[in-house]
C-alpha cells in the first residue's frame, strides 16, 4: 500500500507573499491537489493536517467530485477557525468522501503563520 502526502498550503506568514497569497489581503485560495478518489477505487478516507503558529483566521477545506478543477463545483467539507486569540496548533482531521480534488480557502488571516496544510491517503 502506497501512502500519498500532498501539500495544500506551504509555509505562509501574514504580510509575506507565498503561493496564492499576495501578502496584502486577509484571504486567498490554494491551488487544488488530488484527493483520494482521483485515482478511483482508492477509498474514501483522507486525513488533513493543519499546522499553525500564532494563527488568527479561518481555513476552510473545500472538495469537489468533478475531474476538471477549473470548472468544478466546490463545497466546504471542514472549517478550522480561530478568530479570537492567536493559537499555535497541530490539528489532524479525518474526512470521509469520494473527493477528487481538495483545496483550502483562507479568510480573516490577520495574524501568524500557516506552517502547512497537508493531505494524506
Amino acid at each position: 500500500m502506497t501512502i500519498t502526502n500532498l501539500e495544500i498550503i506551504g509555509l505562509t506568514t501574514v504580510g509575506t507573499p507565498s503561493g496564492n497569497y499576495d501578502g496584502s489581503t486577509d484571504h486567498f485560495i490554494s491551488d487544488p491537489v488530488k484527493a483520494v478518489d482521483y485515482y478511483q477505487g482508492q477509498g474514501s478516507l483522507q486525513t488533513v493536517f493543519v499546522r499553525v503558529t500564532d494563527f488568527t483566521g479561518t481555513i476552510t477545506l473545500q472538495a469537489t467530485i468533478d475531474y476538471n478543477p477549473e470548472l468544478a463545483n466546490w463545497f466546504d467539507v471542514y472549517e478550522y477557525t480561530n478568530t479570537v486569540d492567536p493559537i499555535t496548533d497541530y490539528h489532524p482531521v479525518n474526512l470521509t468522501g469520494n473527493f477528487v480534488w481538495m483545496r483550502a480557502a483562507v479568510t480573516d488571516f490577520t495574524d501568524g503563520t500557516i506552517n502547512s496544510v497537508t493531505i494524506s491517503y
Side-chain angles (χ1 to χ4, degrees):
M1 177 178 186
T2 302
I3 296 177
T4 300
N5 295 302
L6 299 171
E7 187 173 76
I8 299 173
I9 298 176
L11 185 64
T12 306
T13 301
V14 165
T16 304
S18 177
N20 290 357
Y21 175 59
D22 68 8
S24 67
T25 63
D26 69 349
H27 60 278
F28 67 97
I29 296 176
S30 73
D31 289 330
V33 299
K34 296 172 184 170
V36 71
D37 204 45
Y38 180 85
Y39 301 104
Q40 297 179 336
Q42 291 282 339
S44 62
L45 179 64
Q46 49 253 300
T47 303
V48 176
F49 300 91
V50 176
R51 294 176 183 90
V52 295
T53 303
D54 296 328
F55 174 77
T56 302
T58 299
I59 301 170
T60 303
L61 299 171
Q62 299 178 325
T64 185
I65 57 173
D66 297 328
Y67 278 88
N68 183 340
E70 293 176 19
L71 302 175
N73 292 310
W74 293 92
F75 51 91
D76 298 347
V77 293
Y78 184 78
E79 187 174 277
Y80 178 86
T81 300
N82 180 59
T83 56
V84 181
D85 294 319
I87 189 171
T88 297
D89 194 14
Y90 168 76
H91 186 79
V93 60
N94 288 322
L95 300 172
T96 302
N98 292 328
F99 310 136
V100 177
W101 294 93
M102 290 193 71
R103 69 182 185 184
V106 178
T107 55
D108 302 320
F109 185 33
T110 58
D111 199 12
T113 299
I114 300 169
N115 298 309
S116 65
V117 177
T118 57
I119 182 173
S120 295
Y121 51 86

